[in-house]
Amino acid sequence: TSQNFSNADQFSGDYNETSLCRYHEEVAGPCFVGHYCPVGTDYPLPCQAGSFANATLMESCHPCPSGYYCLEAATSFTDTVCPSGHFCPSRTEFATEFMCPKGTFNSLE
């Protein structure tokens, strides 16, 4: 079922009820990909850098896997491969966060 929602200007529009945050069983706001809606929240929160949400209505974000980095509100990790000269452990927040130690390298890109 789709409904018009205008609880806040930034969330105006038509949304499927499964993509909305709920607060005490009442619809409060849409929960987009790249965001999460912990139980009891009125509005979706963007995933923190180092994590991602690839579906709607998530209660938490997934950690970004090793070999990738995830910026704030990431919807995926597959397009943010760790650049050469750097390494990216799980939860890496940006491309150049970790430089390869002297005498080592990452040739992937």
Side-chain angles (χ1 to χ4, degrees):
T1 306
S2 188
Q3 69 180 37
N4 187 278
F5 179 83
S6 59
N7 200 1
D9 290 338
Q10 63 181 344
F11 301 126
S12 294
D14 291 327
Y15 299 96
N16 182 301
E17 67 184 32
T18 60
S19 65
L20 301 171
C21 287
R22 296 192 178 275
Y23 183 72
H24 295 294
E25 300 303 316
E26 293 181 20
V27 173
C31 195
F32 307 109
V33 292
H35 294 73
Y36 67 108
C37 294
V39 174
T41 14
D42 286 326
Y43 298 101
L45 304 171
C47 291
Q48 294 180 335
S51 65
F52 71 99
N54 59 350
T56 59
L57 206 60
M58 293 183 63
E59 290 186 16
S60 64
C61 299
H62 299 295
C64 196
S66 299
Y68 300 88
Y69 63 94
C70 295
L71 302 174
E72 182 179 26
T75 60
S76 175
F77 62 89
T78 58
D79 58 342
T80 53
V81 176
C82 197
S84 60
H86 296 82
F87 69 102
C88 297
S90 178
R91 298 184 182 273
T92 297
E93 298 179 1
F94 55 93
T96 57
E97 186 172 0
F98 301 101
M99 286 191 73
C100 289
K102 189 173 183 175
T104 65
F105 67 96
N106 170 11
S107 61
L108 300 176
E109 191 158 331

